[in-house]
Amino acid sequence: QVRLVESGGGLVQAGSSLRLSCAASGIAFSINTMGWYRQAPGKQRELVAGITSGGTTTYAAYVKGRFTISRDNAKNTVYLQMNSLKPEDTAVYYCNAECVSLTRVVVTTWGQGTQVTVSS
């Protein structure tokens, strides 16, 4: 059982930067892919970026070149550095982790989300 807690959201102006953090705690055999999703009002949750335990990353096209995902495996923490923020980036950002339980069952775990608001 893994718990994810996001932090770092806030209200910023367009062009500013924010760094989101997500700390995973609990018991699991391993944590494979970790990532960030976002959901704006009236829209479905969508993938922002993901990173494997080995450091391979993937990004949504709309954040490519602006956002950087990274992780500290020793701390079981994933980060999302967001630069050149746009009003369109306004959303609740959720941390996600693909965890393997002690019984080798793969479970996707979600954090509660952190609000990112970008003003024009």
Side-chain angles (χ1 to χ4, degrees):
Q1 189 171 351
V2 174
R3 178 189 178 213
L4 304 177
V5 179
E6 303 99 333
S7 63
L11 173 63
V12 298
Q13 292 185 324
S16 298
S17 298
L18 283 174
R19 190 191 192 206
L20 306 183
S21 298
C22 173
S25 62
I27 301 174
F29 179 79
S30 66
I31 300 177
N32 297 330
T33 300
M34 299 186 74
W36 290 93
Y37 290 70
R38 69 186 187 187
Q39 187 168 20
K43 295 185 177 181
Q44 294 187 2
R45 191 172 300 183
E46 59 186 7
L47 174 69
V48 177
I51 185 168
T52 68
S53 60
T56 301
T57 59
T58 184
Y59 296 93
Y62 52 82
V63 303
K64 187 74 173 181
R66 297 189 297 122
F67 292 7
T68 301
I69 188 170
S70 62
R71 66 189 288 174
D72 185 333
N73 290 332
K75 296 181 178 180
N76 285 328
T77 300
V78 63
Y79 307 93
L80 184 67
Q81 178 66 46
M82 304 185 293
N83 299 323
S84 301
L85 283 164
K86 305 175 181 179
E88 308 94 274
D89 296 318
T90 296
V92 177
Y93 283 70
Y94 296 91
C95 180
N96 167 274
E98 183 184 83
C99 307
V100 180
S101 72
L102 296 178
T103 55
R104 305 298 296 275
V105 176
V106 178
V107 178
T108 298
T109 303
W110 295 91
Q112 293 299 308
T114 184
Q115 177 70 48
V116 172
T117 302
V118 184
S119 62
S120 61

